[in-house]
Amino acid sequence: MRHILALLALVITLGTVWHLISVDKDIDALGKVEEIFRKSDLLVELGKKSASSGAMSGGSAPLTSIDSSSALVEDDKKSEVDDKLKALREKAGNVGAFKVSQLYKSKCASCHGVNGEGGIGPKVIGQSYEKVSTELMAFKKGDKKNYVMYGLLQNLSDEDLDILAKEIAEFEQRAKALEK
Ligand code: HEC
């Protein structure tokens, strides 16, 4: 029993030593060092400090290499922030990204969505002026039977419908303008 335990301890010790050696080798590898620099904020701070002191002393070779790795870190952080901003913008897009007229907001948005994305009524974003205008006139005249739209459109003038049709036809463009 003791022998087995001793053997086990030996195996573990050897394994640990081997592991440490291989970790050492990894750390020696230049690529790994760079990666560690990139991942470590502490080293970035150090890099910045020595870079600024390097600037005072005219700069030397090892300091410039740290300098470039901290520049890498800043690039990484910047793209991270960009990604987060993009995600936020996309999220905002779902909540009502572009501006719509008061007329659309009060009369249509409750069923067709604040940005025409649909809901109770069908999605209207992406529809052309001709399509929306024809639909609206048909609903209003009663050619196309829909009690909701029919009743609603009786209170709106033809000019209002024309304005709304023009506006809805612009929705897709407005959404695209926001994506940029
Ligand atoms: C109470 C809910 C409701 C409101 C408010 C409403 N709609 Fe609708 N709308 C609908 C429904 C439901 C349909 C589907 C009718 C059908 O196809 O028979 C529809 C259909 C449409 C269509 C045809 C879309 C398609 O793809 O067939 C257009 C265009 C439209 N509405 C525009 C408007 C406009 C503009 C307003 C504001 C003046 C408005 N709607 C207000 C419920 C509503």
Side-chain angles (χ1 to χ4, degrees), residues 149-163:
M149 291 299 293
Y150 176 81
L152 191 102
L153 298 188
Q154 296 315 301
N155 304 321
L156 291 169
S157 68
D158 289 1
E159 287 96 79
D160 281 344
L161 296 191
D162 197 53
I163 290 167

Side-chain angles (χ1 to χ4, degrees), residues 107-108 111-112 122 127 131 136 146 148-149 152 156 164:
K107 300 282 182 190
C108 324
C111 293
H112 292 285
Q127 295 195 7
K131 162 108 197 304
L136 289 179
N146 181 271
V148 176
M149 291 299 293
L152 191 102
L156 291 169
L164 280 166

Side-chain angles (χ1 to χ4, degrees), residues 26-167:
D26 277 355
I27 289 174
D28 278 347
L30 192 74
K32 283 279 176 189
V33 173
E34 280 239 0
E35 201 176 300
I36 287 163
F37 272 1
R38 236 176 288 150
K39 281 178 184 164
S40 154
D41 283 344
L42 182 73
L43 276 168
V44 176
E45 286 307 312
L46 289 176
K48 271 183 192 156
K49 269 183 206 138
S50 48
S52 54
S53 69
M56 275 185 277
S57 68
S60 57
L63 285 178
T64 24
S65 73
I66 291 172
D67 214 352
S68 72
S69 85
S70 75
L72 266 176
V73 177
E74 270 155 28
D75 273 0
D76 269 11
K77 287 235 169 95
K78 211 175 146 203
S79 70
E80 212 176 275
V81 169
D82 281 352
D83 284 352
K84 278 185 187 156
L85 273 178
K86 209 178 147 204
L88 271 178
R89 240 179 263 136
E90 272 162 13
K91 223 176 175 183
N94 294 332
V95 183
F98 54 82
K99 289 241 181 293
V100 296
S101 69
Q102 197 54 43
L103 185 63
Y104 177 85
K105 214 188 270 178
S106 60
K107 300 282 182 190
C108 324
S110 52
C111 293
H112 292 285
V114 278
N115 279 175
E117 69 273 20
I120 298 166
K123 175 179 164 188
V124 288
I125 185 170
Q127 295 195 7
S128 69
Y129 164 73
E130 288 76 17
K131 162 108 197 304
V132 176
S133 155
T134 315
E135 295 272 359
L136 289 179
M137 288 321 240
F139 282 129
K140 188 177 180 182
K141 281 190 210 138
D143 292 347
K144 195 170 170 184
K145 297 266 177 276
N146 181 271
Y147 287 111
V148 176
M149 291 299 293
Y150 176 81
L152 191 102
L153 298 188
Q154 296 315 301
N155 304 321
L156 291 169
S157 68
D158 289 1
E159 287 96 79
D160 281 344
L161 296 191
D162 197 53
I163 290 167
L164 280 166
K166 279 188 187 126
E167 182 180 4

